[in-house]
Amino acid sequence: MKKGGNKVDGKNILFVCSANVKRSPSAEFWFSCTASQNNYSSAGSSEFACRKYGGNYLQKYDLENADRIICMENRNKSDIEKNFGSGYNPKIEVAGIKDHYEFLQLDLIYEFIDKISC
């Protein structure tokens, strides 16, 4: 979770995609606006993709402080297991949202509405 958040109640929800450029930051923004009772953050599960595209790479701190970890795809969960172990699996949910959307694309928002409840 990003340090210095201003909310103290609600759950800490972490959205994870590969590069943290389109899907997970879109989810962070969307749910911050529409379900503001929780604290939201986002990160990318691929260090290579985050470096290449300028996304925020997932840190152990993010995983430890999350009450829920919502991965966009199974490969994001696999990246977490590979790099940080399987201890976070009880917190992980996989939304099943493919990597073919732009940031805040309307069809992506519809996927959030259909597949994620916060």
Side-chain angles (χ1 to χ4, degrees), residues 58-73:
L58 185 63
Q59 302 295 313
K60 186 175 180 180
Y61 173 88
D62 300 317
L63 297 167
E64 289 176 354
N65 289 296
D67 297 308
R68 290 174 66 195
I69 301 165
I70 301 174
C71 293
M72 295 297 150
E73 296 182 87

Side-chain angles (χ1 to χ4, degrees), residues 6 24 28 30 33-34 39 49 51 56 71 80 95 114-115:
N6 58 4
S24 60
E28 177 183 3
W30 173 257
C33 293
T34 62
N39 305 301
R51 283 186 182 168
N56 176 41
C71 293
I80 292 171
D114 284 346
K115 297 180 176 179

Side-chain angles (χ1 to χ4, degrees), residues 103-117:
F103 181 75
L104 289 178
Q105 183 178 339
L106 187 57
D107 288 340
L108 177 57
I109 302 302
Y110 290 146
E111 289 264 22
F112 296 156
I113 292 167
D114 284 346
K115 297 180 176 179
I116 301 172
S117 63

Side-chain angles (χ1 to χ4, degrees), residues 27-86:
E28 177 183 3
F29 181 83
W30 173 257
F31 287 104
S32 292
C33 293
T34 62
S36 60
Q37 71 275 12
N38 296 311
N39 305 301
Y40 303 98
S41 63
S42 63
S45 64
S46 167
E47 187 173 11
F48 174 79
C50 288
R51 283 186 182 168
K52 182 175 180 178
Y53 299 108
N56 176 41
Y57 178 60
L58 185 63
Q59 302 295 313
K60 186 175 180 180
Y61 173 88
D62 300 317
L63 297 167
E64 289 176 354
N65 289 296
D67 297 308
R68 290 174 66 195
I69 301 165
I70 301 174
C71 293
M72 295 297 150
E73 296 182 87
N74 282 319
R75 69 179 168 178
N76 307 126
K77 180 181 179 189
S78 295
D79 287 345
I80 292 171
E81 291 172 340
K82 178 182 167 189
N83 296 317
F84 300 97
S86 61

